[in-house]
Amino acid sequence: MALALRGTLLSPHAAGGTLFEADGLLLVDAEGTIRYAGPFRAAKYRGPVDDVRPNLITPGFIDAHAHFPQTRIIGCATGPLLDWLANSVFPEEARFTRAAYAKTVAAELVGRLAQAGTTTVALFSSSSPSATATCFSALAEAGLRGIVGLTWMERLGPPALRITTKAAVAASERLIRRWHGFDHDRLRFAVTPRFALSCSRSMLRAAGDLAGAHDLPVQTHIAENDHEGVATLKAHPYASSYLDVYDQAGLLGPRTILAHAIHLTRRDFNRIGETDSTIAHCPDSNFFLGSGRMRLKPPLSLGIRVGLGSDVAAGRSFSMRRAMASAYDNALAVGHPVALPELLRLATFGGAEVLGCAATTGSLEVGKEADVVVVPQRRATPTLDAALAGLIFDTDETHVARCYVRGRRLV
Ligand SMILES: [Zn+2]
C-alpha cells in the first residue's frame, strides 16, 4: 500500500450514518484509491504503518463557496452586503488584472486552503480571465481539487471589473478548453454569474446557454440580503421572485450551486428541489455581514443537497471547522439545532454532493479517492461525541496536521 494510516477514523457514510473507529486503519493504493477503512485489528495488515494515534483521520473538508480574489480582505467590517461589496470587495478584485498580484495571492490561497484541511473548493475568481487562469494553475500545482469560475459582471463595480457578455463567453470558452476536466476531473470550470444584480437578463441567459452547451457546473449567489432582494426585483421586473430570475435564464439544475439562500419562500425551496439545484450554506459570512439566518430545515426536509461554504472574505476563516461551528450557532439561533454528525457531513460529503463529486470524494470509503486530513486530538481513547466536539469546536491549538488528495500529501 502507498499509504497506511493508523488513527481514529471519523467519516460520514455515503449511505447515511457515521464511521467511527477509535483505533482504525486507512489503506490507500498507489493510484490514491482507498482500499480499506475500518478497525485496525480486523485488517490483519502486515505492511508498514504510519501511526498517527491519537489523532483523527477524517475526509478532507469541502468548501462549497469561497472567493479567490478576496483572500487578502478577510475581516473588512464594512457590511452590510452592498456597502461591503462597494467599499472593500470591488476595489480589491479590480487589482487582479495585474498578473503578479494575482499570482502572489493565488499562492497564498492554496497555502491557506491546505493548512485548513480543505481538499476540495468551489471558487469564484474575479472577472479577469488571466487571474482565473492563474487560480487554476495554483490549484493544479498544489494538488487541490475544485471548481473555479470567471466571475461574470457587467453592472456594479468599477469599470475595470466589468466584463461584457461577449468577452465573458469567449474567455470562459478558452478557460473551459484549457482547464475543464484537468487531471481526471480534479479541476472543473464553473459558469459563475456573480449575482442577478451584476448581470443583465441577456448575460444570465448566455450563462445558462454556456452551462447547458458544455454540461458545466453553475455557481452564483441568491437571497443573501433583504436590500439586495428588493434591488434584484427592481433590476429584473419580469421575474416573479429572485429565484425566478435564474430559473428563466436556464441557470437552475443538478449542477447549480446557490450560495446563501436565506430570504427564500417555501415555494422557492420547492422549485430548488424540483430542479435538483443545490445550496451552499455560509453561516459565518451571514453573521459577519448581518445578512440573516438561513434555515437548514426546509431544504434538508425536501432532500435538497446542501454543503457548507466559508464564503471568504465575508466568512472570516478558510477553516471549515469554523464554518461547522458557525452552522451550529446559526441552527441554534433559528431554533432548529443540528447534530454534530450532520455538521461533519455538511462539511465533507454534503459538499461533495453539491460539487458533483460525491462518487469520488467526501467520505472515507473503499473505492473512493483518498482525500484525507489528519487532525490532532486531545484524548487518546475518544468516544464519537468527543471526537466530533474536538474537531468542530476545540480549534485553538489543534490545527490540521496533514492533508492528502488522492493519497498524495500536500505541502
Ligand atoms: Zn460569496
Side-chain angles (χ1 to χ4, degrees):
M1 287 293 156
L3 182 65
L5 284 176
R6 182 178 182 182
T8 298
L9 297 183
L10 176 62
S11 169
H13 284 300
T18 304
L19 164 73
F20 176 74
E21 288 295 341
D23 185 8
L25 182 68
L26 184 79
L27 296 176
V28 180
D29 69 16
E31 308 295 307
T33 304
I34 296 174
R35 291 297 167 205
Y36 179 82
F40 175 77
R41 280 176 186 283
K44 298 195 170 65
Y45 176 68
R46 301 273 176 261
V49 167
D50 189 351
D51 192 344
V52 300
R53 288 176 299 167
N55 294 343
L56 274 182
I57 301 167
T58 76
F61 299 115
I62 298 182
D63 186 344
H65 182 75
H67 296 260
F68 152 52
Q70 297 175 18
T71 301
R72 284 193 170 177
I73 55 163
I74 288 176
C76 287
T78 56
L81 174 67
L82 298 179
D83 301 307
W84 174 75
L85 286 171
N87 295 325
S88 299
V89 174
F90 293 152
E92 174 68 4
E93 291 199 5
R95 296 191 176 101
F96 282 72
T97 49
R98 283 158 38 202
Y101 189 71
K103 202 172 170 187
T104 303
V105 179
E108 290 173 11
L109 167 80
V110 296
R112 292 187 70 164
L113 289 169
Q115 244 172 19
T118 296
T119 51
T120 301
V121 61
L123 285 169
F124 283 52
S125 178
S126 71
S127 56
S128 158
S130 65
T132 308
T134 299
C135 182
F136 268 115
S137 294
L139 291 174
E141 208 172 298
L144 289 160
R145 194 188 295 280
I147 66 176
V148 180
L150 174 80
T151 296
W152 292 24
M153 50 185 294
E154 60 184 338
R155 297 174 176 170
L156 300 184
L161 262 191
R162 291 184 217 145
I163 184 166
T164 63
T165 299
K166 200 176 160 194
V169 170
S172 295
E173 281 176 338
R174 284 195 300 277
L175 289 160
I176 291 162
R177 281 195 295 277
R178 173 67 183 91
W179 290 108
H180 186 62
F182 175 83
D183 190 18
H184 305 283
D185 256 3
R186 181 159 64 81
L187 299 178
R188 286 175 294 142
F189 180 86
V191 175
T192 308
R194 176 168 219 122
F195 63 159
L197 262 187
S198 68
C199 304
S200 65
R201 188 179 191 181
S202 62
M203 179 177 249
L204 292 169
R205 276 196 178 143
D209 290 347
L210 185 70
H214 296 275
D215 203 16
L216 298 169
V218 170
Q219 52 180 353
T220 190
H221 300 90
I222 190 164
E224 180 173 357
N225 168 295
D226 270 335
H227 294 292
E228 170 216 10
V230 170
T232 297
L233 288 182
K234 216 179 246 177
H236 297 275
Y238 57 88
S240 61
S241 68
Y242 195 150
L243 185 74
D244 189 46
V245 178
Y246 297 143
D247 204 354
Q248 289 201 35
L251 284 164
L252 301 184
R255 287 170 305 284
T256 297
I257 307 172
L258 301 167
H260 302 297
I262 298 171
H263 308 283
L264 294 179
T265 62
R266 184 80 196 178
R267 198 171 157 182
D268 293 326
F269 282 117
N270 285 337
R271 184 64 188 146
I272 291 172
E274 277 166 18
T275 57
D276 198 19
S277 305
T278 75
I279 291 172
H281 174 35
C282 307
D284 196 58
S285 158
N286 302 154
F287 281 122
F288 186 60
L289 295 183
S291 300
R293 307 271 67 80
M294 187 209 155
R295 292 168 185 274
L296 276 169
K297 208 178 169 194
L300 291 180
S301 67
L302 289 167
I304 293 167
R305 291 169 287 155
V306 180
L308 272 187
S310 68
D311 194 22
V312 162
R316 291 158 284 189
S317 169
F318 279 102
S319 170
M320 295 311 292
R321 298 169 73 189
R322 167 73 175 257
M324 285 189 278
S326 282
Y328 178 88
D329 296 349
N330 180 76
L332 280 185
V334 300
H336 291 291
V338 58
L340 303 194
E342 183 64 29
L343 291 172
L344 177 64
R345 188 174 196 81
L346 289 169
T348 55
F349 187 76
E353 285 192 306
V354 164
L355 269 70
C357 53
T360 309
T361 187
S363 58
L364 303 180
E365 290 178 283
V366 172
K368 283 201 167 180
E369 297 185 4
D371 296 356
V372 179
V373 292
V374 175
V375 183
Q377 184 172 230
R378 289 184 196 278
R379 268 170 271 195
T381 49
T383 61
L384 170 62
D385 287 346
L388 281 164
L391 179 70
I392 296 169
F393 301 117
D394 192 2
T395 55
D396 278 357
E397 293 156 31
T398 59
H399 302 296
V400 168
R402 300 190 202 173
C403 192
Y404 300 84
V405 172
R406 286 183 181 154
R408 192 171 77 86
R409 191 166 172 183
L410 307 187
V411 179

